[in-house]
Amino acid sequence: MTSVVERLSGGSPVFSVEFFPPRDAADETVLWRAIRELEALDPAFVSITYGAGGSSRDRTIRTTGRVVQETTLVPMAHLTAVDHSVAELRNVIGWYAAVGVRNILAVRGDPPGDPNGEWVPHPDGLTYAEELVRLCRELGDFCVGVSAFPYGHPRSADLDEDTRYLVRKLRAGADFAIAQLFLDVDDFLRLRDRVRAVGCDTPLLPGLMPLTTPRTLAKTVELSGAPLPPAVARRLEPLAGDAAAFREAGVDLVTEMGERLLAEGVPALHFYTFNRSKATREVVGRLGLVPARA
């Protein structure tokens, strides 16, 4: 099993993709079609999400185990501290190790039901992501990632405070961080600059979502936690009634973002896929991130 850091250190930029565990048999068919289509492109790793409050824990473990056993892909499983005691977290980490997972994304997670609700730690659990990073480190030879927020976490008072919390997570033992969605490359680069300014050079990966429909644009804006940039609005909103034109312009825009990020020296681009592969395959192909044999 290869670690994420090993996959990022090859000298050439790479890409990774994120999936969420299937809710039913139909979802599973869609997911595995996307996995097989992307497998041929040799992504650096594939990420499997973990629902709020552990709502998809068993499906995440099962899906990640199948990726280990049935594909050539490098999986990274998610882990959250929401509604879990330390004993339960130890158990989940042990399950990951047992199915052959070496890479974990350790996030505190959002309160179930209301992502913006008040955080209430489990009485026998953890309060901060940095504690979860340390727990993963204590329990095995894991490569551990954390999340980063170009616009600051919703519960951070300002960007300086948010940067301090991110650096604490990184220095607790994280090997890399993946940024939440953004639509202005400068916002990601400023995040990277803030982290570097305090002497931390841990790899920071930008997160992108191909903008194929007005719905994906709205979801990207929602997940970013920032307003829609005026330049993006001027480019895409007039096309909302023309599905083909919107998709073409949206894929062009994300490709241009990827080009600039690669020019700025990022080691990898992380794509949120909605368990679909076509648009991601188009973008990585345009960016030259697809191996010749694919």
Side-chain angles (χ1 to χ4, degrees):
M1 176 60 62
T2 304
S3 74
V4 168
V5 166
E6 289 167 341
R7 293 287 279 164
L8 298 179
S9 60
S12 299
V14 294
F15 77 99
S16 55
V17 293
E18 181 161 309
F19 301 113
F20 51 82
R23 293 167 296 184
D24 52 35
D27 277 357
E28 189 145 8
T29 298
V30 170
L31 167 63
W32 279 93
R33 181 183 303 119
I35 287 174
R36 292 303 184 187
E37 289 169 344
L38 285 162
E39 182 178 14
L41 306 187
D42 192 30
F45 63 93
V46 298
S47 171
I48 312 295
T49 65
Y50 185 103
S55 60
S56 66
R57 181 181 70 183
D58 292 344
R59 293 192 300 274
T60 297
I61 293 170
R62 184 175 66 252
T63 301
T64 308
R66 280 194 65 188
V67 170
V68 173
Q69 295 159 9
E70 301 178 23
T71 78
T72 60
L73 296 166
V74 174
M76 178 182 72
H78 287 212
L79 181 65
T80 79
V82 178
D83 283 351
H84 284 349
S85 67
V86 171
E88 289 170 333
L89 290 169
R90 287 176 175 271
N91 191 31
V92 174
I93 294 168
W95 284 349
Y96 283 150
V99 298
V101 174
R102 184 178 172 188
N103 305 288
I104 294 177
L105 188 74
V107 297
R108 188 182 73 172
D110 296 321
D114 180 6
N116 297 314
E118 189 66 26
W119 167 260
V120 179
H122 187 286
D124 299 312
L126 303 177
T127 302
Y128 299 107
E130 65 182 276
E131 298 173 312
L132 190 54
V133 171
R134 292 194 182 96
L135 182 63
C136 291
R137 285 295 199 185
E138 291 169 5
L139 295 179
D141 182 23
F142 293 104
C143 178
V144 183
V146 295
S147 59
F149 300 87
Y151 305 105
H153 190 279
R155 295 177 184 83
S156 293
D158 52 44
L159 291 179
D160 288 339
E161 180 184 81
D162 190 76
T163 302
R164 287 194 295 273
Y165 279 117
L166 173 57
V167 171
R168 282 172 54 173
K169 291 191 290 187
L170 297 173
R171 290 179 172 163
D175 298 285
F176 63 96
I178 298 177
Q180 294 281 47
L181 288 163
F182 56 91
L183 284 169
D184 186 334
V185 169
D186 286 329
D187 292 324
F188 171 82
L189 296 175
R190 281 189 281 266
L191 166 64
R192 189 176 68 173
D193 288 345
R194 291 194 300 271
V195 173
R196 287 181 172 177
V198 294
C200 186
D201 59 0
T202 304
L204 180 59
L205 312 186
L208 301 173
M209 182 186 290
L211 302 173
T212 55
T213 66
R215 176 176 174 269
T216 58
L217 175 61
K219 192 65 175 178
T220 298
V221 172
E222 175 191 342
L223 294 174
S224 75
L228 178 65
V232 177
R234 288 193 297 269
R235 188 166 173 179
L236 295 184
E237 287 185 339
L239 305 175
D242 186 333
F246 188 99
R247 186 186 190 284
E248 180 179 2
V251 171
D252 285 347
L253 188 150
V254 173
T255 301
E256 291 162 15
M257 292 174 65
E259 288 171 342
R260 183 163 176 222
L261 289 161
L262 294 173
E264 290 284 350
V266 300
L269 303 176
H270 186 71
F271 288 91
Y272 298 93
T273 67
F274 277 157
N275 287 10
R276 299 294 196 277
S277 73
K278 185 176 180 181
T280 298
R281 287 185 284 126
E282 288 181 33
V283 175
V284 300
R286 292 186 190 184
L287 295 173
L289 299 178
V290 179
R293 61 179 174 79

